[in-house]
Amino acid sequence: MQERFEQRLTRTVNVGEVPIGSGYPVVVQSMITENIQNTIHAARQIKSLHLNGAKIVRIAIPTLKDAQSLADIKKELLRTYKNVPLVADVHHQGATIAVEAAKYVEKIRINPGLMVTNKSVQKNNYSEKEIVQQIDKIDQVLVPIINACKENGVALRIGVNHGSLAERLTFMWGDTPKGMVESALEYLRICRSRGFNDLVVSLKSSRVSVMQEANRLMVNEMNKENMDYPIHLGVTEAGKDQYARIKSALGIGTLLSEGIGDTIRVSLAEDPIVELSVGYDILQGLGLEQTKAEIIACPSCGRTTFNLPGVTDRITSAVFHLKELKIAIMGCVVNGPGEIADSDYGIMGISGGKVAVFRGKKQVGTVIQSEAEEALTSLIKKDGKWIDPPKSFE
């Protein structure tokens, strides 16, 4: 794997036993879709996500009854599996739900645009006095949450969404990244003034450009105020299928390559387990973490002398779990030798539908293409680098 990008320096915020912040690997998380009042099914999905790589699992908590259900979910997890760091996602009802949820989870996420709202009053101007009054109201709502987090050893994410900016912020700054940043800063300043710094901040949008600009601006503004809080990245409501993956990779990956971001969630309109594989692919593509074999395969062209797509599929399926290895599958002698020399193992197409088998840059044999997978796996086993693939998780 390539060297890690230089990561922005932040404090470490612990979510249960999972540290978030510079110096630690980027944390991949996801969110359950089960009705949490069906505690058995909710706990089962949490377990499945954790087994498939979610270091932290988030749960939407729209009502007080949902918050109270967290106690039974924790009990069910401990009975059937083990403790998993949970995040309660709270948007409404002031502090009531968040304070209750803090008794049972390792982190609370609140949305500044919805925690303190005054949507029924349409205004086209805000006086200095009114702005101060609204900041005071935020303080009144936030202090009980801060106290609950302190009492229970719980972290807090200030999670701003572009689509739910408070009316006052939209009036003052427009529907802009600047408004998102100012929304987050209001909450961060109150938390810091109250001596609470176990904070993570996020600024999400379904538009990649807005999400990127907001996070860059957030870093600049935090630097000005000597804030070193970790950042959670995501392109919210990205959609599904290839386009959603591309949007997520562009938004999250670009910022990670700039050293911005300490934890990520890929938001897909699909089974949340899929989010995890995409998230880890983004990290592996950047050289930040390797969770499966690194496969280097050429795109095929008129010089290719064997069925490269088919052989690539078979070899990838056989060796994907060997996460310490880099394996090259090359169609011809033009780029093959150089790519294979930089890999642990590889094959290269030669004449007559045959492939040459390599250990590093040394050729160790020649086989027909139908035997390529067996030849490669046998060589890996001979070198003592083979491990059996893990059992699939539910």
Side-chain angles (χ1 to χ4, degrees):
M1 299 299 287
Q2 66 195 58
E3 293 184 6
R4 289 175 60 89
F5 295 100
E6 185 176 349
Q7 202 171 3
R8 168 179 163 261
L9 293 177
T10 76
R11 68 178 56 237
T12 299
V13 174
N14 292 304
V15 181
E17 296 181 353
V18 177
I20 294 175
S22 56
Y24 291 95
V26 175
V27 174
V28 178
Q29 54 183 279
S30 188
M31 191 169 185
I32 71 167
T33 55
E34 288 284 354
N35 181 344
I36 70 166
Q37 292 184 31
N38 188 333
T39 55
I40 292 176
H41 286 181
R44 185 179 299 152
Q45 189 177 28
I46 292 167
K47 173 184 175 182
S48 179
L49 289 171
H50 193 256
L51 286 170
N52 281 277
K55 304 300 184 185
I56 298 170
V57 178
R58 185 153 51 107
I59 306 173
I61 310 295
T63 70
L64 184 60
K65 186 175 180 180
D66 292 324
Q68 293 164 344
S69 296
L70 289 167
D72 291 331
I73 290 175
K74 277 289 189 180
K75 289 177 183 176
E76 182 67 13
L77 278 172
L78 292 173
R79 185 183 72 82
T80 61
Y81 181 50
K82 62 181 178 181
N83 189 53
V84 175
L86 300 181
V87 181
D89 196 52
V90 181
H91 288 262
H92 298 286
Q93 293 192 30
T96 306
I97 297 175
V99 169
E100 178 67 18
K103 300 174 184 177
Y104 314 111
V105 299
E106 285 72 25
K107 185 180 176 186
I108 300 290
R109 180 273 172 119
I110 59 174
N111 182 343
L114 298 175
M115 291 298 289
V116 178
T117 61
N118 193 21
K119 292 291 186 181
S120 61
V121 179
Q122 299 295 318
K123 294 179 65 66
N124 58 15
N125 191 25
Y126 285 86
S127 66
E128 189 68 30
K129 180 180 179 180
E130 288 175 315
I131 292 172
V132 171
Q133 288 174 339
Q134 290 211 6
I135 298 295
D136 288 342
K137 188 174 181 181
I138 293 172
D139 185 85
Q140 292 170 18
V141 171
L142 195 51
V143 166
I145 299 174
I146 292 171
N147 291 339
C149 288
K150 286 181 177 180
E151 181 179 345
N152 294 283
V154 172
L156 179 65
R157 170 155 72 98
I158 308 300
V160 178
N161 275 359
H162 182 222
S164 57
L165 274 180
E167 181 185 282
R168 174 176 54 85
L169 274 300
T170 302
F171 171 78
M172 294 171 64
W173 302 102
D175 185 19
T176 64
K178 176 64 173 176
M180 297 170 67
V181 170
E182 291 298 325
S183 179
L185 286 171
E186 289 180 350
Y187 280 67
L188 293 175
R189 290 173 186 136
I190 291 171
C191 288
R192 185 166 67 173
S193 72
R194 299 287 179 170
F196 183 69
N197 289 289
D198 291 331
L199 301 167
V200 178
V201 63
S202 67
L203 301 103
K204 293 189 177 185
S205 173
S206 59
R207 292 164 55 190
V208 171
S209 59
V210 172
M211 170 262 194
Q212 290 177 337
E213 185 178 347
N215 279 279
R216 291 175 182 134
L217 182 59
M218 188 78 235
V219 169
N220 289 337
E221 294 302 314
M222 284 200 290
N223 287 343
K224 291 177 184 177
E225 299 194 27
N226 294 316
M227 294 179 176
D228 58 355
Y229 304 120
I231 289 179
H232 172 108
L233 295 178
V235 178
T236 191
E237 301 157 351
K240 63 179 296 187
D241 300 327
Q242 177 174 295
Y243 183 56
R245 286 156 173 75
I246 291 173
K247 283 179 68 176
S248 297
L250 288 170
I252 296 170
T254 300
L255 289 171
L256 287 174
S257 72
E258 297 172 12
I260 298 171
D262 306 278
T263 178
I264 66 172
R265 186 221 171 170
V266 176
S267 299
L268 301 178
E270 302 177 40
D271 187 322
I273 283 181
V274 178
E275 298 179 352
L276 301 171
S277 61
V278 178
Y280 281 109
D281 280 353
I282 291 172
L283 297 185
Q284 181 152 333
L286 290 168
L288 294 174
E289 184 169 352
Q290 186 163 342
T291 55
K292 58 186 177 182
E294 181 74 4
I295 304 296
I296 307 299
C298 68
S300 189
C301 68
R303 293 187 298 267
T304 302
T305 59
F306 68 102
N307 179 12
L308 191 142
V311 172
T312 299
D313 286 345
R314 292 196 297 274
I315 291 177
T316 299
S317 296
V319 305
F320 78 96
H321 62 290
L322 303 176
K323 65 180 183 179
E324 303 299 325
L325 299 184
K326 183 177 181 181
I327 296 171
I329 305 170
M330 305 305 296
C332 71
V333 298
V334 175
N335 293 318
E339 294 289 355
I340 291 175
D342 191 43
S343 303
D344 299 296
Y345 298 93
I347 63 168
M348 180 180 68
I350 54 179
S351 62
K354 295 182 179 181
V355 298
V357 182
F358 288 77
R359 178 194 289 118
K361 61 183 179 180
K362 182 178 180 181
Q363 182 177 342
V364 296
T366 302
V367 298
I368 59 175
Q369 63 171 305
S370 61
E371 297 175 355
E373 175 193 338
E374 181 181 355
L376 200 59
T377 56
S378 295
L379 182 59
I380 295 170
K381 291 174 181 178
K382 179 180 177 181
D383 290 349
K385 295 182 179 180
W386 180 267
I387 58 174
D388 292 329
K391 296 179 180 179
S392 60
F393 301 123
E394 62 178 13

